[in-house]
Amino acid sequence: EAGTAGGAVTVVRQGDGLEYLVLTVQKAPGWSTAKHTAEVSSNLVDWCSGDKHTTTLIDNATTLRVRDNTPVQKGEKRYIRLK
């Protein structure tokens, strides 16, 4: 259980013209970002986290929004999760 009230993954076009996966989570009361990590993958086997792989767009009392640093490419799969 991630301890969240809900979450959504969307594809967002950034100022560079590329599209990225974005995970948005509505935090439940008492939820701690320190206990959770956003991870990204291209194959659902190998997961990566940290500043090299993700960018935190919002992290406040009610919302966590994290972007995959690898753009979505036609014909390639990308996955993002909160662990």
Side-chain angles (χ1 to χ4, degrees), residues 2 6 21 31-32 42 46 50 59-60 66 68-69 72 80-81:
L21 287 183
W31 191 86
S32 171
S42 61
D46 302 307
D59 185 5
N60 60 32
V66 180
D68 185 355
N69 287 345
V72 175
I80 188 167
R81 71 179 182 187

PDB file of all heavy atoms in Angstrom, residues 2 6 21 31-32 42 46 50 59-60 66 68-69 72 80-81:
ATOM      1  N   ALA A   2       0.659   2.112  -0.935  1.00  0.00           N
ATOM      2  CA  ALA A   2       1.466   3.318  -1.055  1.00  0.00           C
ATOM      3  C   ALA A   2       1.020   4.407  -0.087  1.00  0.00           C
ATOM      4  O   ALA A   2       1.687   5.401   0.071  1.00  0.00           O
ATOM      5  CB  ALA A   2       1.420   3.846  -2.484  1.00  0.00           C
ATOM      6  N   GLY A   6      -4.962   8.324  -4.243  1.00  0.00           N
ATOM      7  CA  GLY A   6      -5.150   8.038  -5.659  1.00  0.00           C
ATOM      8  C   GLY A   6      -4.000   8.580  -6.466  1.00  0.00           C
ATOM      9  O   GLY A   6      -3.208   9.368  -5.977  1.00  0.00           O
ATOM     10  N   LEU A  21       6.261  10.898 -19.549  1.00  0.00           N
ATOM     11  CA  LEU A  21       5.316  10.357 -18.586  1.00  0.00           C
ATOM     12  C   LEU A  21       5.396  11.180 -17.307  1.00  0.00           C
ATOM     13  O   LEU A  21       6.487  11.526 -16.852  1.00  0.00           O
ATOM     14  CB  LEU A  21       5.652   8.911 -18.238  1.00  0.00           C
ATOM     15  CG  LEU A  21       5.379   7.840 -19.278  1.00  0.00           C
ATOM     16  CD1 LEU A  21       5.727   6.473 -18.699  1.00  0.00           C
ATOM     17  CD2 LEU A  21       3.921   7.859 -19.704  1.00  0.00           C
ATOM     18  N   TRP A  31       1.046  11.005   4.926  1.00  0.00           N
ATOM     19  CA  TRP A  31       1.873  10.364   3.911  1.00  0.00           C
ATOM     20  C   TRP A  31       3.240  11.033   3.859  1.00  0.00           C
ATOM     21  O   TRP A  31       3.346  12.255   3.941  1.00  0.00           O
ATOM     22  CB  TRP A  31       1.173  10.493   2.562  1.00  0.00           C
ATOM     23  CG  TRP A  31       1.761   9.673   1.468  1.00  0.00           C
ATOM     24  CD1 TRP A  31       1.466   8.384   1.195  1.00  0.00           C
ATOM     25  CD2 TRP A  31       2.693  10.092   0.477  1.00  0.00           C
ATOM     26  NE1 TRP A  31       2.167   7.972   0.097  1.00  0.00           N
ATOM     27  CE2 TRP A  31       2.931   8.998  -0.369  1.00  0.00           C
ATOM     28  CE3 TRP A  31       3.369  11.275   0.223  1.00  0.00           C
ATOM     29  CZ2 TRP A  31       3.804   9.063  -1.437  1.00  0.00           C
ATOM     30  CZ3 TRP A  31       4.237  11.337  -0.842  1.00  0.00           C
ATOM     31  CH2 TRP A  31       4.442  10.236  -1.662  1.00  0.00           C
ATOM     32  N   SER A  32       4.302  10.260   3.722  1.00  0.00           N
ATOM     33  CA  SER A  32       5.664  10.794   3.728  1.00  0.00           C
ATOM     34  C   SER A  32       6.389  10.471   2.422  1.00  0.00           C
ATOM     35  O   SER A  32       6.520   9.303   2.060  1.00  0.00           O
ATOM     36  CB  SER A  32       6.452  10.210   4.899  1.00  0.00           C
ATOM     37  OG  SER A  32       7.808  10.559   4.788  1.00  0.00           O
ATOM     38  N   SER A  42      11.813   0.782 -18.831  1.00  0.00           N
ATOM     39  CA  SER A  42      11.450   0.570 -20.236  1.00  0.00           C
ATOM     40  C   SER A  42      10.961  -0.857 -20.460  1.00  0.00           C
ATOM     41  O   SER A  42      10.507  -1.186 -21.554  1.00  0.00           O
ATOM     42  CB  SER A  42      12.646   0.852 -21.147  1.00  0.00           C
ATOM     43  OG  SER A  42      13.708  -0.039 -20.829  1.00  0.00           O
ATOM     44  N   ASP A  46      13.685  -3.881 -15.048  1.00  0.00           N
ATOM     45  CA  ASP A  46      14.739  -3.023 -14.523  1.00  0.00           C
ATOM     46  C   ASP A  46      14.159  -1.642 -14.218  1.00  0.00           C
ATOM     47  O   ASP A  46      13.723  -0.942 -15.134  1.00  0.00           O
ATOM     48  CB  ASP A  46      15.875  -2.899 -15.537  1.00  0.00           C
ATOM     49  CG  ASP A  46      16.455  -4.252 -15.906  1.00  0.00           C
ATOM     50  OD1 ASP A  46      16.830  -4.994 -14.986  1.00  0.00           O
ATOM     51  OD2 ASP A  46      16.509  -4.567 -17.113  1.00  0.00           O
ATOM     52  N   GLY A  50      15.929   8.291  -8.862  1.00  0.00           N
ATOM     53  CA  GLY A  50      16.916   9.333  -8.592  1.00  0.00           C
ATOM     54  C   GLY A  50      16.885  10.437  -9.627  1.00  0.00           C
ATOM     55  O   GLY A  50      16.202  10.348 -10.644  1.00  0.00           O
ATOM     56  N   ASP A  59       5.986  18.695  -4.959  1.00  0.00           N
ATOM     57  CA  ASP A  59       6.015  17.871  -3.754  1.00  0.00           C
ATOM     58  C   ASP A  59       5.603  18.766  -2.597  1.00  0.00           C
ATOM     59  O   ASP A  59       6.422  19.418  -1.967  1.00  0.00           O
ATOM     60  CB  ASP A  59       7.400  17.272  -3.520  1.00  0.00           C
ATOM     61  CG  ASP A  59       7.426  16.309  -2.342  1.00  0.00           C
ATOM     62  OD1 ASP A  59       6.350  16.033  -1.773  1.00  0.00           O
ATOM     63  OD2 ASP A  59       8.520  15.837  -1.995  1.00  0.00           O
ATOM     64  N   ASN A  60       4.282  18.813  -2.355  1.00  0.00           N
ATOM     65  CA  ASN A  60       3.775  19.618  -1.251  1.00  0.00           C
ATOM     66  C   ASN A  60       2.916  18.746  -0.337  1.00  0.00           C
ATOM     67  O   ASN A  60       2.945  17.518  -0.459  1.00  0.00           O
ATOM     68  CB  ASN A  60       3.023  20.848  -1.770  1.00  0.00           C
ATOM     69  CG  ASN A  60       1.834  20.497  -2.642  1.00  0.00           C
ATOM     70  OD1 ASN A  60       1.174  19.468  -2.441  1.00  0.00           O
ATOM     71  ND2 ASN A  60       1.530  21.345  -3.609  1.00  0.00           N
ATOM     72  N   VAL A  66       5.766  13.683 -10.402  1.00  0.00           N
ATOM     73  CA  VAL A  66       7.117  13.323 -10.829  1.00  0.00           C
ATOM     74  C   VAL A  66       7.104  13.021 -12.318  1.00  0.00           C
ATOM     75  O   VAL A  66       6.211  12.333 -12.818  1.00  0.00           O
ATOM     76  CB  VAL A  66       7.626  12.085 -10.052  1.00  0.00           C
ATOM     77  CG1 VAL A  66       9.028  11.719 -10.486  1.00  0.00           C
ATOM     78  CG2 VAL A  66       7.580  12.334  -8.556  1.00  0.00           C
ATOM     79  N   ASP A  68       9.188  11.452 -15.715  1.00  0.00           N
ATOM     80  CA  ASP A  68      10.257  10.614 -16.259  1.00  0.00           C
ATOM     81  C   ASP A  68      11.192  11.527 -17.050  1.00  0.00           C
ATOM     82  O   ASP A  68      10.732  12.373 -17.816  1.00  0.00           O
ATOM     83  CB  ASP A  68       9.625   9.552 -17.176  1.00  0.00           C
ATOM     84  CG  ASP A  68      10.620   8.536 -17.725  1.00  0.00           C
ATOM     85  OD1 ASP A  68      11.832   8.671 -17.493  1.00  0.00           O
ATOM     86  OD2 ASP A  68      10.155   7.604 -18.398  1.00  0.00           O
ATOM     87  N   ASN A  69      12.496  11.382 -16.902  1.00  0.00           N
ATOM     88  CA  ASN A  69      13.443  12.214 -17.657  1.00  0.00           C
ATOM     89  C   ASN A  69      13.686  11.716 -19.075  1.00  0.00           C
ATOM     90  O   ASN A  69      14.312  12.416 -19.873  1.00  0.00           O
ATOM     91  CB  ASN A  69      14.779  12.313 -16.915  1.00  0.00           C
ATOM     92  CG  ASN A  69      14.692  13.196 -15.693  1.00  0.00           C
ATOM     93  OD1 ASN A  69      13.752  13.959 -15.519  1.00  0.00           O
ATOM     94  ND2 ASN A  69      15.679  13.089 -14.825  1.00  0.00           N
ATOM     95  N   VAL A  72       8.997  10.058 -24.152  1.00  0.00           N
ATOM     96  CA  VAL A  72       8.248   8.979 -24.783  1.00  0.00           C
ATOM     97  C   VAL A  72       8.578   9.005 -26.276  1.00  0.00           C
ATOM     98  O   VAL A  72       8.478  10.045 -26.917  1.00  0.00           O
ATOM     99  CB  VAL A  72       6.728   9.176 -24.571  1.00  0.00           C
ATOM    100  CG1 VAL A  72       5.932   8.125 -25.320  1.00  0.00           C
ATOM    101  CG2 VAL A  72       6.400   9.150 -23.097  1.00  0.00           C
ATOM    102  N   ILE A  80       6.186   4.191 -15.306  1.00  0.00           N
ATOM    103  CA  ILE A  80       6.540   4.964 -14.116  1.00  0.00           C
ATOM    104  C   ILE A  80       5.663   4.455 -12.962  1.00  0.00           C
ATOM    105  O   ILE A  80       4.491   4.128 -13.154  1.00  0.00           O
ATOM    106  CB  ILE A  80       6.362   6.487 -14.355  1.00  0.00           C
ATOM    107  CG1 ILE A  80       6.923   7.290 -13.188  1.00  0.00           C
ATOM    108  CG2 ILE A  80       4.931   6.843 -14.680  1.00  0.00           C
ATOM    109  CD1 ILE A  80       7.067   8.793 -13.486  1.00  0.00           C
ATOM    110  N   ARG A  81       6.283   4.355 -11.776  1.00  0.00           N
ATOM    111  CA  ARG A  81       5.541   3.866 -10.612  1.00  0.00           C
ATOM    112  C   ARG A  81       6.071   4.534  -9.354  1.00  0.00           C
ATOM    113  O   ARG A  81       7.172   5.101  -9.331  1.00  0.00           O
ATOM    114  CB  ARG A  81       5.656   2.357 -10.473  1.00  0.00           C
ATOM    115  CG  ARG A  81       7.034   1.869 -10.035  1.00  0.00           C
ATOM    116  CD  ARG A  81       7.094   0.376  -9.889  1.00  0.00           C
ATOM    117  NE  ARG A  81       8.412  -0.062  -9.421  1.00  0.00           N
ATOM    118  CZ  ARG A  81       8.765  -1.329  -9.339  1.00  0.00           C
ATOM    119  NH1 ARG A  81       7.944  -2.286  -9.716  1.00  0.00           N
ATOM    120  NH2 ARG A  81       9.978  -1.647  -8.903  1.00  0.00           N
TER     121      ARG A  81
END
